[in-house]
Amino acid sequence: MVRIGPILLLNGNCTYTLRQILSMSSPVVQNSYAGVIRRLGAYAVDAVLLFVAFGLLLGSIVGLVIYLTVGFDWMQNGWLLWAYVFTVISFPLWLYYSLFESSARQATIGMKCWACASHA
């Protein structure tokens, strides 16, 4: 590309003024974003899945292990209650979202079900 005053020479073949170049239409990439209903549906699927997987299954197992080793007094101890919440809720949820959204599909299971994925 060579600029000669207000005229640009592109590829040695054609001459265009700056105004002509700016008025040329370029292909516009359209992104289709998921609406509110799809996002809420995806969140509901993820919430039910996570509640069943982590809240009921993992929560019951970890709670039973803590109860059998320490007894029922673990709920009165702040440290053990924090450890229970971290191992049953905080860490698994963080792991679920971070691993699924950093995967090749960049979507959770709920996003895949409701076609909210950016690479679906």
Side-chain angles (χ1 to χ4, degrees):
M1 174 170 68
V2 178
R3 181 177 179 155
I4 306 169
I7 297 175
L8 298 173
L9 183 62
L10 301 174
N11 296 331
N13 298 339
C14 305
T15 57
Y16 298 99
T17 64
L18 185 58
R19 181 173 295 206
Q20 289 172 330
I21 291 174
L22 292 176
S23 66
M24 290 180 184
S25 63
S26 61
V28 177
V29 177
Q30 297 272 339
N31 288 334
S32 60
Y33 295 105
V36 174
I37 300 299
R38 280 189 177 180
R39 290 177 188 268
L40 287 175
Y43 177 76
V45 169
D46 287 334
V48 168
L49 177 72
L50 293 173
F51 175 73
V52 170
F54 299 130
L56 296 180
L57 299 177
L58 186 63
S60 300
I61 293 168
V62 172
L64 183 63
V65 167
I66 291 175
Y67 173 72
L68 292 176
T69 56
V70 180
F72 196 69
D73 293 334
W74 70 271
M75 293 191 90
Q76 306 300 323
N77 187 345
W79 172 254
L80 286 176
L81 186 58
W82 178 87
Y84 174 78
V85 169
F86 181 77
T87 56
V88 173
I89 299 171
S90 301
F91 185 70
L93 290 179
W94 172 79
L95 200 61
Y96 173 80
Y97 282 107
S98 63
L99 290 178
F100 272 105
E101 291 187 5
S102 65
S103 68
R105 296 279 304 236
Q106 294 183 346
T108 62
I109 293 172
M111 289 177 171
K112 289 177 189 176
C113 291
W114 281 80
C116 295
S118 59
H119 298 296

